Amino acid sequence: MHKPIDSAIMTIFGITGDLAHRKLLPALYFLQRDNLLPEHFKIVGVTRRNAKVKDIMESLEARIKAMDTPCDSAILKQLGKKIQIVSMDLTSKDSYKTLKTTLDTIETTEGVCLNRLFYLAIPSQVFEPVVKLLGEAKLHTGCQHHTAESRLLIEKPFGFDIDSAHELIEALSVDFTEEQIYRIDHYLAKETVQNILTFREQNPLFKSSWNDQHIKRIVITATEKIGIEGRANFYEHMGALRDLIQSHLLQLLALVIMREPARTSSEAIHAAKLEALKSIVPPADDLMDTMTVRAQYEGYRDEVENQQSNTETFAAVRLTVDTEGWRNIPIYVRTGKNLTAKDTEISILFANEGSPAKNQLTIRIQPDEGIQLGITIKKPGYEAATGIVHMAFRYEGEVASEHPDAYERVIIDALKGDKTLFATDEEVMECWRIVQPILSAWEKNRVPLLGYKPGSSGPESGETADSFLLHLTHPRLETLPIITTQTSLGEDESN
Ligand code: BG6
């Protein structure tokens, strides 16, 4: 059953910040354009600065235009009317009382009870004090009449390591229940990511062969062309392993290996996902140097003004899964910044024991969203040679090319109270369990920090590292020839 999009006040902490500017406000603009916001909907923008709605709308207009999308001034105006700014000191108790009065007044003016969404688009270091003060001001208890709910939306990083993640979970749970907390992992809200389960389960051909009897390798790659984009403070503390692998990429892996959920409910999906995450095994301590690679692009230290920095901008790890159906296959999870291209994909190799024949399935998450399958055929002609052709489905031009952006989906689901695409506390902790031994080995310098050229495909070679963990390249869908010139199937066509 489809859930209704409930009326709400969305309080955005950090309305003048980078996340609000780049993602949230454009998402709200597009939801306004597509008439998807509820009838009673207000935005309260919290900021330390003395900003005006007019300033916010001007910077939003510039952002929309920079996205190569026409910006409709009437839509901007409609959205602007929904926004009210509250300039406040985030550390002052009294400010939260003022905030509460503002929300109560909006509700009274609207004449209906409104859910209260608190979106923390602020640095994670201040999550705990802000949430504590929200609690002290009783802002976690819903509307004035206690009929509409309060919900807390937070962005990763959910902690810095396993201990701080646990502390954060404990601190937030003092006033907010797990049910009220929406941990955003925007990868889960990407259209192509939501397709993973459907594709696996609704196609008998793949459903019956989705196990280690047929699948011999899984490679999840997320390369980025951009560097750290001026986020030196954030990135220096983060690094590629925490930034992409601990969250987004392990969530993708869980969707690939999880058992079919008993039902399509949020609870059933989360239960199956948690079980999958629990079965993922990090590399053994004595294998860290063959099973993990960390590297930093040249010039990074100057960029962050720290010549001693050991922060990795490239991370690749080989994992295994200890559960029936997946026990024997290597799983690679790889990411890096300042590489050749932006490419996020899941590549799955189907092969049978003792036979060179294989099929490579690639789920393209972005860009060129789609699914591609390499199949072997007899090459046309008099010879008995074989070749590989690629059957490809692309979203663009095939099905609605206009699908909601991840942040539009995040906002709509949070308004509906649908938690399917948000990470649970237990999932977050499992992801930390997987990466913590790697982080610890890297912190002790047990794995060398390699270098790579900006714009390259990553480090060329590590002393002992598995070659799948090094330079990351893959042909993009549109560049693939219809029939490759390959005549022997002995060669590996992946990577
Ligand atoms: C964020 C990371 O979570 O994801 C960024 O903090 C990264 O460093 C971004 O650039 C990538 O997201 P997307 O949607 O562009 O692949």
Side-chain angles (χ1 to χ4, degrees):
M1 201 181 72
H2 291 297
K3 290 193 176 188
I5 304 178
D6 297 326
S7 301
I9 311 173
M10 186 166 162
T11 303
I12 303 178
F13 283 80
I15 188 109
T16 51
D18 186 60
L19 177 67
H21 169 70
R22 285 191 308 119
K23 304 281 190 185
L24 288 183
L25 288 162
L28 287 163
Y29 168 88
F30 293 120
L31 290 174
Q32 175 71 45
R33 182 197 63 185
D34 299 342
N35 224 359
L36 288 171
L37 294 172
E39 186 192 341
H40 297 282
F41 181 72
K42 294 284 172 199
I43 300 163
V44 170
V46 171
T47 174
R48 278 173 239 237
R49 298 190 202 155
N50 194 14
K52 304 228 167 4
V53 174
K54 186 173 150 285
D55 308 327
I56 297 197
M57 298 328 278
E58 273 170 16
S59 90
L60 173 59
E61 184 175 10
R63 173 70 183 150
I64 304 278
K65 286 182 177 159
M67 293 163 89
D68 278 340
T69 315
C71 187
D72 185 333
S73 55
I75 307 286
L76 272 184
K77 217 168 172 184
Q78 288 160 12
L79 185 64
K81 281 196 183 147
K82 294 187 161 71
I83 304 181
Q84 181 171 335
I85 300 293
V86 173
S87 295
M88 66 182 241
D89 172 3
L90 293 187
T91 59
S92 135
K93 230 174 160 170
D94 287 344
S95 303
Y96 292 77
K97 288 189 192 145
T98 314
L99 178 62
K100 186 168 187 313
T101 312
T102 308
L103 301 187
D104 290 350
T105 309
I106 292 176
E107 204 168 58
T108 308
T109 314
E110 291 291 306
V112 285
C113 282
L114 300 166
N115 284 334
R116 297 181 175 189
L117 273 57
F118 298 99
Y119 198 127
L120 305 195
I122 46 179
S124 58
Q125 295 90 311
V126 290
F127 284 177
E128 286 188 36
V130 167
V131 173
K132 189 165 176 272
L133 290 168
L134 282 172
E136 284 178 14
K138 300 277 172 262
L139 280 161
H140 63 294
T141 56
C143 71
Q144 303 168 74
H145 311 290
H146 303 292
T147 53
E149 296 173 18
S150 283
R151 295 174 191 155
L152 181 68
L153 277 76
I154 54 171
E155 284 274 344
K156 62 171 257 294
F158 309 122
F160 176 75
D161 55 16
I162 197 159
D163 293 336
S164 56
H166 184 69
E167 274 166 31
L168 179 65
I169 287 170
E170 296 275 297
L172 300 196
S173 69
V174 171
D175 289 312
F176 286 84
T177 62
E178 176 63 14
E179 201 41 48
Q180 289 176 287
I181 302 174
Y182 290 65
R183 291 183 197 81
I184 298 161
D185 185 313
H186 77 282
Y187 267 51
L188 291 174
K190 289 182 191 280
E191 187 65 40
T192 41
V193 171
Q194 292 167 57
N195 192 30
I196 296 172
L197 271 187
T198 309
F199 175 80
R200 281 177 45 183
E201 301 303 336
Q202 302 299 320
N203 295 294
L205 185 61
F206 291 102
K207 187 180 166 96
S208 57
S209 50
W210 207 263
N211 52 52
D212 63 1
Q213 289 284 305
H214 305 280
I215 292 178
K216 297 300 167 210
R217 185 173 60 227
I218 298 173
V219 185
I220 300 183
T221 310
T223 60
E224 293 190 275
K225 201 176 163 74
I226 55 169
I228 60 164
E229 297 206 297
R231 297 191 299 163
N233 281 343
F234 167 82
Y235 207 82
E236 259 298 85
H237 288 101
M238 198 54 48
L241 184 62
R242 289 185 176 92
D243 190 29
L244 262 283
I245 294 184
Q246 189 277 336
S247 47
H248 307 322
L249 302 193
L250 286 177
Q251 285 281 354
L252 294 188
L253 177 56
L255 290 173
V256 173
I257 61 167
M258 69 193 256
R259 64 173 164 78
E260 185 177 357
R263 280 160 284 110
T264 52
S265 68
S266 170
E267 291 78 15
I269 292 174
H270 282 299
K273 192 137 64 79
L274 180 63
E275 187 185 319
L277 287 167
K278 283 189 168 166
S279 69
I280 299 173
V281 185
D285 220 35
D286 56 341
L287 294 177
M288 285 293 175
D289 55 344
T290 45
M291 303 266 217
T292 72
V293 165
R294 60 177 182 144
Q296 188 186 73
Y297 62 77
E298 289 168 16
Y300 174 82
R301 289 180 180 175
D302 295 336
E303 211 173 324
V304 299
E305 296 175 4
N306 177 9
Q307 295 308 317
Q308 262 68 53
S309 172
N310 275 339
T311 301
E312 80 286 351
T313 57
F314 177 107
V317 301
R318 179 176 159 165
L319 302 166
T320 47
V321 173
D322 186 17
T323 193
E324 197 66 33
W326 294 110
R327 210 154 263 141
N328 300 315
I329 63 163
I331 294 171
Y332 297 89
V333 184
R334 328 175 303 171
T335 186
K337 286 198 183 281
N338 223 335
L339 296 173
T340 326
K342 170 98 180 160
D343 270 316
T344 311
E345 64 177 35
I346 300 170
S347 171
I348 297 172
L349 182 73
F350 289 82
N352 290 324
E353 218 56 70
S355 159
K358 57 191 155 196
N359 299 112
Q360 179 87 35
L361 173 74
T362 306
I363 301 174
R364 294 270 317 164
I365 291 168
Q366 59 189 16
D368 313 321
E369 292 92 336
I371 296 174
Q372 169 200 310
L373 181 67
I375 54 172
T376 305
I377 57 149
K378 177 193 163 299
K379 282 181 106 178
Y382 296 104
E383 308 300 326
T386 57
I388 291 174
V389 290
H390 291 97
M391 294 170 63
F393 148 69
R394 294 180 69 187
Y395 277 70
E396 199 184 333
E398 295 287 338
V399 287
S401 58
E402 288 274 319
H403 44 254
D405 159 79
Y407 276 87
E408 292 168 47
R409 179 70 197 236
V410 161
I411 294 170
I412 290 294
D413 283 7
L415 286 169
K416 285 180 176 172
D418 182 344
K419 295 193 71 188
T420 314
L421 303 181
F422 296 84
T424 66
D425 53 354
E426 291 178 298
E427 289 166 16
V428 168
M429 287 310 290
E430 277 308 313
C431 292
W432 280 115
R433 177 195 59 79
I434 299 161
V435 302
Q436 186 64 58
I438 307 168
L439 282 174
S440 303
W442 288 5
E443 267 155 26
K444 290 181 198 135
N445 283 324
R446 301 225 338 263
V447 176
L449 179 71
L450 306 176
Y452 62 98
K453 299 220 173 308
S456 71
S457 52
E460 291 289 325
S461 64
E463 293 268 295
T464 47
D466 183 320
S467 64
F468 265 92
L469 300 176
L470 295 164
H471 46 107
L472 319 179
T473 50
H474 203 285
R476 299 172 67 160
L477 276 194
E478 80 272 28
T479 61
L480 285 168
I482 298 300
I483 298 185
T484 69
T485 50
Q486 188 177 354
T487 52
S488 147
L489 295 176
E491 275 174 37
D492 199 347
E493 63 144 350
S494 64
N495 205 25

